[in-house]
Amino acid sequence: MTEEAKTNEPQAGPVISVVGPGDGETIVLGTTRMRVLEDGSHTGHRLAIAESVLAPHTQGPPQHRHGRHDEGFYVLSGTVRFTVGEEDYDATAGTLVMVPPGTPHTFANLTDEPAVMLSTFTPDLYVQYFRDLQQVLTDGRPLTPQANIDAMSRYATQPATDLA
């Protein structure tokens, strides 16, 4: 059988993933609620997607750089302040922000209204970081800057200390 014939054969198991409005894994980190819509398990770990709700006046993580994945943010509602290096961008609903590996960035909701955004991670490497942070809280430990840095370092991410 040729390689071409093999790729045309039906695949075992489900070919699509459907996550309904009430479905998905929920991760709560302080004033941010994240719903993991795809953790990479249905995409061969090429892509993960999460919906995040940032409460009013939510500060994001310290500015950081990812070494091995792109991160995308699509603002669904509200306004999210993205800081990239020394530049600030106020992204309103309908705005897409793509952050390639190596680019320092952070985000926050500085407004009086909640903000909702859809995030992509390619590959899916970074979803486990959020799970690790939630585990710190579940274990009753404080989510200190060092705990955050330790978790980041496991996923090819480091703080942008030159911009602190």
Side-chain angles (χ1 to χ4, degrees):
M1 183 177 284
T2 67
E3 260 325 288
E4 183 177 307
K6 286 181 186 174
T7 60
N8 290 332
E9 291 178 5
Q11 300 203 0
V15 269
I16 67 167
S17 169
V18 176
V19 180
D23 299 335
E25 173 186 2
T26 300
I27 298 174
V28 178
L29 300 171
T31 58
T32 299
R33 177 185 283 304
M34 174 182 277
R35 184 167 67 113
V36 179
L37 303 171
E38 171 57 52
D39 67 358
S41 61
H42 298 96
T43 65
H45 301 285
R46 295 178 307 274
L47 170 69
I49 303 171
E51 174 190 65
S52 296
V53 179
L54 308 176
H57 307 286
T58 294
Q59 292 299 316
Q63 214 169 151
H64 57 282
R65 294 178 173 95
H66 302 295
R68 295 185 10 218
H69 73 275
D70 294 274
E71 192 168 25
F73 303 91
Y74 183 73
V75 179
L76 296 168
S77 66
T79 300
V80 180
R81 163 76 52 93
F82 287 89
T83 301
V84 181
E86 296 181 10
E87 298 289 323
D88 290 328
Y89 303 90
D90 288 332
T92 56
T95 302
L96 174 68
V97 177
M98 287 300 304
V99 181
T103 304
H105 65 286
T106 189
F107 57 87
N109 177 5
L110 305 178
T111 74
D112 294 329
E113 300 296 324
V116 181
M117 59 185 180
L118 195 66
S119 300
T120 61
F121 312 95
T122 54
D124 69 337
L125 179 67
Y126 216 52
V127 170
Q128 190 59 44
Y129 159 77
F130 299 108
R131 291 172 173 154
D132 287 1
L133 292 182
Q134 183 174 28
Q135 189 61 51
V136 167
L137 295 171
T138 299
D139 291 346
R141 295 178 284 149
L143 196 52
T144 64
Q146 189 59 51
N148 197 336
I149 290 168
D150 291 346
M152 283 182 176
S153 69
R154 290 192 290 273
Y155 305 101
T157 300
Q158 59 188 8
T161 54
D162 54 322
L163 297 167

